[in-house]
Amino acid sequence: MRFALLVVSVFACSAADSSLRVALYVGSGSNAGSAGNFSEALAQLVARGVLASFDSLADADVGAKLTPSAFDVVVFPGGSGSGEFNAIGEAGQAAVRAFVAAGKGYYGTCAGGFLALTATCCSNSTHAALPGYCDGGVGCSNKTDALALIDYAAAEPWDRGHGMVSMIYDDNTVAMLKLDPAVYGGGRNTSVLYYQGPIADRAYPSKGYTSGATFTSEIHSGHPNLTTGQMIGTTALAYTTYGEGRVLISIPHPEETVPRLNDVVAAYVLYAGKAI
Ligand SMILES: *[C@@H]1O[C@H](CO)[C@@H](O)[C@H](O)[C@H]1NC(C)=O
Ligand SMILES: *[C@@H]1O[C@H](CO)[C@@H](O)[C@H](O)[C@H]1NC(C)=O
Ligand SMILES: *[C@@H]1O[C@H](CO)[C@@H](O)[C@H](O)[C@H]1NC(C)=O
Ligand SMILES: *[C@@H]1O[C@H](CO)[C@@H](O)[C@H](O)[C@H]1NC(C)=O
Ligand SMILES: *[C@@H]1O[C@H](CO)[C@@H](O)[C@H](O)[C@H]1NC(C)=O
């Protein structure tokens, strides 16, 4: 299976800049399936000359090694957003913010998206009535366990379940990312694995990011009476700037979809690193 994937992998961006040095967080807050797929995808991109290098960073490595002179993009995979935040510690948190502010790139998926957020929202007080959500609050509360790289608030309850969903890319984003329009353009659905990533709260008035894709189906098996209807029409891909750098968060998991969406992973890394 792995051999087959290598053979059929097609990178729309294989002619792009090959100078990017990518750091992948693989520490205790990450999930092995997401981090493992990123490792494979990034190694293939290095082998093809699309990226210059990639290195795996454990928890303490983020604070110790993630500098603008050493890397161009940091990737935070799935896992737990607050788990990743706490695992990298204050030195890691400061390093990520300084890295992106200095002009480098942040690409987070699912938990890596949560890690970048500003707030969790309990726009509906029924959510806040669930013990353990929203710090017991009602309305939006500033997250104390996220980096605030993107002005985006996640709807609660976060544990809505997982499964395959569909999303549709905006054609301008397909062009910007140099994705194949015959595959991703023209309002076509793309099937992708969703695993409890941060769904944008519709009541939060953020205008601080661009939505590059929209969910056209949803998962609400976790709390059906609270989350039904929350996901369809919300963003599946959000991007913005922080300081001089780019921040891109993917709500679902292109890297963990089977077969892996290698071209999407490549495009997101290259975009975060300003190579496209
Ligand atoms: C990639 O993700 C799939 C789906 O979750 C999983 O079965 C597979 O083991 C992962 N691969 C690696 C190398 O972690
Ligand atoms: C909360 O949910 C109820 C029932 O779905 C709805 O009528 C109400 O408008 C929601 N409140 C907010 C603030 O979204
Ligand atoms: C969140 O933080 C911002 C900036 O510090 C502040 O202006 C705002 O009042 C805070 N919101 C809440 C609900 O605490
Ligand atoms: C995309 O998928 C959704 C959910 O299955 C469906 O309702 C919609 O019709 C599809 N759109 C297109 C253009 O295929
Ligand atoms: C949601 O549904 C479950 C069971 O279906 C029920 O136990 C629970 O009280 C409901 N919660 C709310 C907030 O309505």
Side-chain angles (χ1 to χ4, degrees), residues 9 16 40 52 58 67 74 86 88 92 101 135 153 181 187 192 194 202 209 214 227 241 250:
S9 293
E40 283 192 1
T67 63
V74 66
N86 291 317
I88 65 176
D135 305 320
V192 64
Y194 171 81
R202 298 179 204 271
Y209 61 86
T214 302
T227 62
T241 55
S250 174

Side-chain angles (χ1 to χ4, degrees), residues 13 177-179 248 262-272 276:
C13 305
L177 294 174
K178 303 196 190 309
L179 289 168
L248 177 150
N262 283 305
D263 46 358
V264 170
V265 173
Y268 289 2
V269 173
L270 292 173
Y271 178 77
I276 52 175

Side-chain angles (χ1 to χ4, degrees), residues 1 5 8 254 256-262:
M1 185 59 180
L5 283 175
V8 301
E256 227 182 326
T257 299
V258 180
R260 191 165 56 226
L261 304 181
N262 283 305

Side-chain angles (χ1 to χ4, degrees), residues 199-226:
I199 298 305
D201 193 291
R202 298 179 204 271
Y204 187 78
S206 172
K207 296 280 183 272
Y209 61 86
T210 302
S211 174
T214 302
F215 286 115
T216 54
S217 70
E218 73 175 14
I219 299 291
H220 52 232
S221 54
H223 293 277
N225 52 1
L226 294 176

